[in-house]
Amino acid sequence: MTAPTRPSTIKASWEGLALIVGAGGIGSAIATQLAQRCPALQVLTCGRGGAPDQDLTLNVENDESLARFCEAVRQQARPLRLVFNCSGRLHGPGLQPEKRLQQVNRRQLEEQFSINAIAPLLLAKAIEPMLNRHEAFHFASLSARVGSISDNRSGGWYGYRAAKAAQNQLIRCLSIEWARRWPSATVTLFHPGTTDTALSKPFQSFVAPEQLFSPDRAATQLVDLLLEQTPAQTGRFLAWDGQEIPW
């Protein structure tokens, strides 16, 4: 009797297109991992521009940019197998995680929600017309354990926590709708662990060295998990080690 084919084997043989949105440290490392492990996939990195190895330009906070991006993807004329959203923002010019209530302001809350909650859902909306009901497809997005409401024991970081929690709810809704309309699709939220990137750099002194992952290690762990997921498991919120994170 022939042994059943493992999901990872099926996905490793996918022929089509994989889009990695957000060409930062984790995104670039995931693109490299997928290109090595899924040789039949054409892996394209997508971001705001400027990176030398970036394939497509996309500003996920701009509707016109999303429309141009989708037209560029259609011109690839290959079935879409994977969209992995690795975009996100914790801090930047004029934006810092809040330590107490009096540091909260409207502009920063709106900025956190724009990139960390609204953008992933509108990315899914933009690529949905390219899906085929009978072809396997995976939509994945980076979230964060700090977005778990029930796991929140330290408070603070109001905007970032709330935006990631909102993303979790929005993508969970997406997984339920797509399970009905696109039964071959799988939707997953991933927490990559604390990774040595620009996003975590100001806060790494609070992290034990063994708990700070290189981008390559984080990408390896995430791609391992990604290749195991099937439509029967859609809508999960998973940590880098495969453990489900409470909402």
Side-chain angles (χ1 to χ4, degrees):
M1 182 176 179
T2 303
T5 304
R6 291 174 55 84
S8 57
T9 304
I10 296 171
K11 290 181 181 176
S13 67
W14 274 359
E15 293 185 9
L17 192 62
L19 307 175
I20 311 304
V21 177
I26 295 179
S28 295
I30 287 173
T32 299
Q33 281 282 324
L34 285 169
Q36 294 172 348
R37 297 168 65 174
C38 303
L41 277 180
Q42 179 185 7
V43 182
L44 301 181
T45 56
C46 318
R48 293 173 187 259
D53 57 348
Q54 187 173 291
D55 299 300
L56 296 175
T57 299
L58 172 62
N59 177 355
V60 289
E61 296 179 90
N62 182 282
D63 291 343
E64 292 181 0
S65 180
L66 274 168
R68 291 192 297 270
F69 166 75
C70 288
E71 184 56 36
V73 173
R74 289 189 185 93
Q75 291 175 7
Q76 301 295 320
R78 305 193 72 184
L80 194 55
R81 295 295 188 217
L82 167 69
V83 173
F84 201 139
N85 171 56
C86 299
S87 64
R89 187 180 300 128
L90 173 58
H91 59 87
L95 180 68
Q96 290 296 326
E98 311 92 342
K99 295 181 180 179
R100 59 185 185 273
L101 178 61
Q102 291 306 311
Q103 294 176 337
V104 173
N105 68 70
R106 185 181 302 277
R107 183 196 60 78
Q108 291 192 58
L109 288 173
E110 290 173 345
E111 185 173 348
Q112 291 282 17
F113 272 74
S114 177
I115 185 68
N116 293 313
I118 298 169
L121 188 69
L122 294 186
L123 174 63
K125 177 184 176 182
I127 59 90
E128 185 188 52
M130 296 180 235
L131 303 188
N132 184 312
R133 183 175 175 83
H134 304 294
E135 290 184 339
F137 171 75
H138 202 132
F139 185 88
S141 187
L142 292 186
S143 185
R145 187 182 293 275
V146 297
S148 167
I149 295 174
S150 60
D151 191 60
N152 181 2
R153 295 176 178 84
S154 59
W157 291 25
Y158 284 84
Y160 187 74
R161 284 184 184 275
K164 288 297 188 180
Q167 182 196 175
N168 293 349
Q169 178 71 289
L170 293 169
I171 300 305
R172 174 68 174 172
C173 287
L174 174 72
S175 72
I176 293 169
E177 178 182 348
W178 277 8
R180 296 191 296 262
R181 298 182 56 225
W182 311 102
S184 298
T186 306
V187 177
T188 310
L189 289 153
F190 289 115
H191 166 61
T194 304
T195 305
D196 186 11
T197 64
L199 184 144
S200 70
K201 190 69 70 177
F203 314 102
Q204 290 179 7
S205 61
F206 302 102
V207 181
E210 68 274 10
Q211 296 177 343
L212 181 64
F213 301 149
S214 69
D216 287 341
R217 177 179 171 183
T220 298
Q221 293 168 163
L222 291 175
V223 173
D224 284 345
L225 285 175
L226 175 76
L227 296 179
E228 293 174 356
Q229 305 310 304
T230 68
Q233 299 164 302
T234 194
R236 303 174 79 195
F237 179 20
L238 300 176
W240 58 271
D241 58 0
Q243 297 297 310
E244 292 213 37
I245 300 174
W247 302 107

